[in-house]
Amino acid sequence: MARIVFMGTPDFAVPSLQALARDHQVVGVVTQPDRPAGRGRRLVAPPVKEAAGALGLEVVQPPTLRRPEAVERLVAWRPDLVVVAAFGQILRPEVLAIPPHGCLNVHASLLPRYRGAAPIPAAILAGDERTGVTIMRMDEGLDTGPMLAQADWPIGPDDTTGSLAADLARLGASLLVEALPGWLEGRIAPRPQDDAQATYCRTLQKEDGLLDWALTASHLDRQVRACDPWPGAYTAWAGQRLKILRARPLPGRPGPGGAGPGRVVDLAPGTGVVTGEGVLELLEVQLAGKSAMDVHAFAQGRRDFVGSTLG
């Protein structure tokens, strides 16, 4: 039975850890340090730490793998293989060289498309109809290593980054445990990526959630879904931040009476916002500091909402 060290941090990584623990000897888990969260800024453990604790696995949380003591801890575990899933740190050459069977990564895209830290929102923003997961052997580049296996997955019209990440997490865990025996036994020859087809994506920032009503309704719908759960899509109304939690594009629908982008209009039934092309129907919204509300109830309680201009 292979000795495996697992590295991961968010919810996406948990199914892969759990699947490995069922079939292999996970000798240690490396995850990010606890971080302050919420209004009280209390320290919160990453999901992988919680999952590893439930499995009775040893966990370390080095601030960086550049520290000699972190590398020494990895060497002491004597891993045959390291498996990485959304860990959040680049592995240096001395770490990549530790396990004789290398370091494998569970990546949430069909490489070489969407190398980088945020492939799921990138696929939604681009309007892709399908995405998937790739099991690859890590090298010193950013998601540039050769691939062991891939599996694709459809992107539905209502998929958000959160819902798609949950689907791809399960798909990645299944593909990982399916590919591991062949890799460990030398029956899988990884194939190189076509660098000419590579695209890159960056981590989302808070400002990426700001909606520009001059864009198309279809684009804004994708932005709302790509920014769910973080950073959240938002606009301004009456001097306050208004989050757009759920929406639906009506791409062929013109704004009534020549209304310009950002104007809130009555769709009879429903409430929408005129965009650069089409109307974005609002379904659920939330004012800063308030509870999320169905847009009908929101507009009923704020008679000046319809007819106002957002942004």
Side-chain angles (χ1 to χ4, degrees):
M1 183 177 292
R3 295 173 57 85
I4 297 176
V5 166
F6 183 82
M7 299 182 181
T9 301
D11 287 317
F12 175 82
V14 170
S16 289
L17 172 59
Q18 293 170 332
L20 285 175
R22 284 193 296 268
D23 299 326
H24 297 274
Q25 183 183 6
V26 179
V27 295
V29 174
V30 185
T31 189
Q32 297 278 13
D34 296 359
R35 306 289 189 194
R39 292 183 179 178
R41 307 304 292 164
R42 66 180 182 87
L43 288 178
V44 175
V48 161
K49 180 181 180 181
E50 299 282 359
L55 294 167
L57 302 175
E58 183 179 354
V59 179
V60 296
Q61 297 175 272
T64 173
L65 290 179
R66 294 175 180 270
R67 294 186 175 180
E69 60 268 25
V71 177
E72 291 168 5
R73 174 69 270 186
L74 292 174
V75 172
W77 274 327
R78 296 182 292 108
D80 299 307
L81 176 74
V82 170
V83 173
V84 180
F87 175 46
Q89 293 186 33
I90 299 296
L91 302 194
R92 294 166 60 83
E94 57 264 38
V95 174
L96 295 172
I98 292 172
H101 289 280
C103 300
L104 302 185
N105 183 35
V106 183
H107 184 78
S109 83
L110 297 174
L111 290 171
R113 190 162 174 80
Y114 304 130
R115 294 173 178 174
I120 297 175
I124 293 175
L125 277 170
D128 292 354
E129 294 183 353
R130 303 193 73 82
T131 184
V133 291
T134 302
I135 309 299
M136 55 162 285
R137 180 166 188 174
M138 301 176 73
D139 58 17
E140 296 180 37
L142 179 61
D143 300 323
T144 55
M147 303 177 294
L148 279 64
Q150 288 187 314
D152 72 339
W153 189 265
I155 301 177
D158 297 322
D159 264 326
T160 66
T161 290
S163 67
L164 193 55
D167 289 334
L168 295 181
R170 292 188 292 269
L171 181 66
S174 175
L175 187 64
L176 174 66
V177 296
E178 180 182 314
L180 266 188
W183 173 249
L184 294 170
E185 295 164 12
R187 294 185 284 105
I188 292 180
R191 55 189 176 92
Q193 297 184 41
D194 182 355
D195 291 340
Q197 300 298 316
T199 61
Y200 288 85
C201 58
R202 60 174 177 81
T203 303
L204 291 183
Q205 307 296 319
K206 286 186 177 180
E207 55 268 25
D208 290 320
L210 178 61
L211 299 174
D212 179 355
W213 298 108
L215 300 175
T216 69
S218 295
H219 176 92
L220 292 167
D221 165 64
R222 295 195 299 270
Q223 186 178 354
V224 169
R225 294 186 290 115
C227 291
D228 181 359
W230 195 90
Y234 62 93
T235 186
W237 176 71
Q240 303 175 77
R241 176 171 291 197
L242 180 68
K243 291 184 178 180
I244 310 300
L245 302 180
R246 290 191 302 117
R248 178 167 53 213
L250 305 173
R253 186 159 182 164
R263 179 64 61 87
V264 181
V265 295
D266 184 0
L267 299 178
T271 302
V273 184
V274 178
T275 74
E277 193 283 308
V279 171
L280 186 71
E281 182 180 4
L282 304 182
L283 301 176
E284 188 177 14
V285 298
Q286 182 180 16
L287 272 179
K290 304 293 184 180
S291 299
M293 297 183 68
D294 172 88
V295 76
H296 176 73
F298 182 86
Q300 284 287 97
R302 296 163 178 83
R303 297 291 184 175
D304 56 343
F305 183 59
V306 175
S308 65
T309 298
L310 304 181

